[in-house]
């Protein structure tokens, strides 16, 4: 569900002031350092520990800047899962929203006085936009959308699949406000023959230049519907983005997995040919034969011949949040039960 909404000049100034305030914490709150708040229940509460493991991934609860205690999968890069209880409400609080970075050198500080969003490549009018330009020059767009890691619930797979072993909490729903991606591309003037727009953030790895371990790059093809509702968001649930969720800007691609939702966006690069960098050509690819669901078998993969294609739209999913099935046991016939959860398409 989406709707256009105009921010007043006063609201825009308030948002800019809040965003600038976020950069003041350049050496303190914005410094990402792991602090273990408390572990998940252990032998002292075996039932709670089992319940947490069954729905969420096992791991310590850690507290990072701008975040409530979340379940830590890894610390380099930071990967944090949202605990089950936060999904009892339709919208996920910013402080409880899951975190997934691909490369360890993601930004700890951003100076908005020097930050620029660059539009380059196969365009007529390259752009270098300040954060304030996005608030002043473009009509804001607000959309409510689910952000879900493509590996959400991966720990449930049998046999085990490589990658972060998420429980069910690598997802969240928020109201995102920003600039339509098509409006930004129109300002730059996309040339005839453009095939896709490549997205690049401020995060970096330690690998050689040109490799997936150096930069995380994703692309949105002009031939698909991915650009129809995509925005470059500067606000999340009415507030500036948390650092760990992509401050100051992130791409929002409603209906598609989070792999395309580039955080700390810094470059929009229009390409005249298909993007064949590692994160498009090799990573995040699923079987495309058969019924179109991405299903196959280990035997078929081992035998070879299974065609792979880029992961795309999210399938319909639903999760029971309450009651916890593992804590209910037998239930008397005829006695009402209230079941609460999340469903999205």
């Amino acid at each position: 569900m989406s709707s256009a909404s105009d921010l007043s000049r006063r609201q825009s100034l308030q948002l800019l002031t809040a965003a600038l305030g976020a950069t003041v914490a350049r050496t303190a709150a914005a410094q990402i350092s792991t602090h273990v708040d408390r572990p998940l229940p252990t032998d002292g509460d075996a039932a709670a520990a089992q319940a947490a493991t069954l729905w969420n991934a096992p791991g310590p609860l850690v507290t990072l800047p701008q975040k409530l205690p979340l379940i830590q999968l890894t610390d380099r890069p930071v990967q944090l899962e949202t605990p089950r209880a936060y999904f009892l409400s339709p919208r996920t609080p910013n402080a409880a929203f899951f975190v997934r970075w691909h490369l360890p050198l993601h930004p700890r500080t951003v100076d908005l006085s020097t930050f620029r969003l660059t539009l380059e490549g196969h365009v007529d009018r390259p752009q270098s936009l300040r954060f304030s330009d996005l608030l002043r020059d473009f009509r804001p767009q607000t959309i409510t959308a689910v952000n879900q890691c493509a590996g959400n619930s991966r720990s449930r797979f049998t046999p085990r699949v490589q990658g972060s072993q998420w429980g069910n909490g690598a997802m969240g729903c928020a109201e995102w406000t920003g600039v339509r991606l098509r409006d930004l591309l129109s300002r730059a003037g996309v040339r005839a023959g453009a095939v896709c727009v490549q997205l690049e953030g401020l995060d970096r790895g330690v690998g050689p230049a040109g490799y997936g371990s150096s930069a995380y790059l994703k692309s949105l093809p002009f031939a698909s519907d991915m650009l129809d509702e995509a925005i470059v968001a500067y606000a999340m649930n009415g507030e500036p983005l948390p650092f760990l969720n992509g401050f100051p800007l992130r791409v929002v691609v409603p209906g598609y997995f989070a792999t395309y939702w580039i955080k700390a966006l810094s470059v929009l690069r229009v390409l005249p040919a298909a993007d064949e960098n590692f994160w498009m050509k090799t990573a995040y690819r699923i079987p495309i034969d058969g019924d179109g669901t991405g299903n196959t078998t280990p035997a078929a993969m081992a035998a070879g011949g299974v065609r792979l294609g880029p992961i795309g739209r999210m399938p319909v999913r639903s999760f029971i949040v309450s009651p916890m099935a593992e804590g209910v046991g037998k239930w008397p016939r005829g006695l009402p039960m209230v079941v609460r959860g999340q469903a999205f398409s």
Side-chain angles (χ1 to χ4, degrees):
M1 178 177 67
S2 64
S3 63
S5 61
D6 293 313
L7 292 178
S8 66
R9 179 171 293 275
R10 177 178 297 177
Q11 288 173 309
S12 297
L13 289 174
Q14 288 174 342
L15 181 61
L16 179 58
T17 300
L20 287 170
T23 67
V24 172
R26 291 170 189 163
T27 60
Q31 182 65 41
I32 308 303
S33 59
T34 302
H35 165 68
V36 176
D37 182 80
R38 62 182 176 89
L40 288 174
T42 54
D43 293 340
D45 191 350
Q50 181 188 35
T53 301
L54 285 172
W55 204 90
N56 281 115
L61 287 176
V62 301
T63 304
L64 298 184
Q66 301 178 299
K67 289 294 180 181
L68 294 163
L70 301 179
I71 301 166
Q72 183 186 70
L73 275 73
T74 62
D75 61 351
R76 288 187 301 271
V78 175
Q79 298 186 76
L80 306 174
E81 181 171 336
T82 303
R84 179 177 192 158
Y86 292 109
F87 297 109
L88 286 172
S89 59
R91 191 178 300 172
T92 313
N94 290 4
F97 215 91
F98 86 99
V99 175
R100 200 286 193 238
W101 291 88
H102 291 81
L103 302 175
L105 306 180
H106 49 79
R108 271 70 171 173
T109 64
V110 174
D111 185 349
L112 287 185
S113 67
T114 59
F115 171 80
R116 297 293 185 270
L117 174 62
T118 301
L119 283 73
E120 62 183 30
H122 201 61
V123 297
D124 294 323
R125 300 177 295 278
Q127 304 284 312
S128 180
L129 302 174
R130 297 169 296 183
F131 185 85
S132 57
D133 294 333
L134 301 180
L135 297 176
R136 182 192 62 214
D137 297 348
F138 298 89
R139 182 183 179 185
Q141 180 84 2
T142 296
I143 188 166
T144 299
V146 172
N147 180 225
Q148 180 183 210
C149 178
N152 195 28
S153 308
R154 184 181 285 131
S155 62
R156 309 295 182 262
F157 289 2
T158 301
R160 182 185 175 100
V161 177
Q162 66 178 3
S164 301
Q165 297 301 300
W166 297 101
N168 296 326
M171 61 180 183
C173 181
E175 183 181 81
W176 312 89
T177 300
V179 179
R180 283 171 50 89
L181 185 51
R182 285 195 183 277
D183 290 347
L184 290 168
L185 294 172
S186 294
R187 178 154 170 165
V190 176
R191 294 178 181 174
V195 172
C196 61
V197 54
Q198 188 182 68
L199 317 170
E200 180 178 341
L202 296 173
D203 50 323
R204 287 292 181 270
V206 296
Y211 284 78
S213 55
S214 173
Y216 181 67
L217 306 170
K218 296 294 289 189
S219 295
L220 307 181
F222 286 102
S224 78
D225 65 350
M226 301 181 78
L227 294 176
D228 292 343
E229 291 187 277
I231 66 172
V232 173
Y234 44 69
M236 179 179 176
N237 290 327
E239 300 175 355
L241 297 164
F243 258 91
L244 287 171
N245 293 113
F247 179 87
L249 302 172
R250 83 170 300 167
V251 178
V252 172
V253 190
Y256 285 83
F257 281 105
T259 178
Y260 298 103
W261 295 41
I262 293 293
K263 296 178 289 296
L265 179 71
S266 61
V267 179
L268 294 173
R269 185 178 296 112
V270 178
L271 303 180
D275 187 356
E276 295 195 345
N277 89 83
F278 169 81
W279 296 104
M280 290 298 297
K281 185 177 181 179
T282 305
Y284 286 103
R285 299 180 74 82
I286 60 173
I288 58 175
D289 292 320
D291 58 6
T293 63
N295 293 327
T296 188
T297 65
M301 291 297 295
V306 177
R307 293 190 306 143
L308 302 178
I311 196 167
R313 278 195 170 274
M314 296 187 295
V316 176
R317 296 202 75 185
S318 63
F319 299 86
I320 293 177
V321 178
S322 175
M324 293 186 291
E326 55 273 17
V328 172
K330 293 183 178 181
W331 194 258
R333 179 177 298 176
L335 186 66
M337 174 188 286
V338 177
V339 177
R340 301 174 63 190
Q342 300 272 3
F344 51 91
S345 67

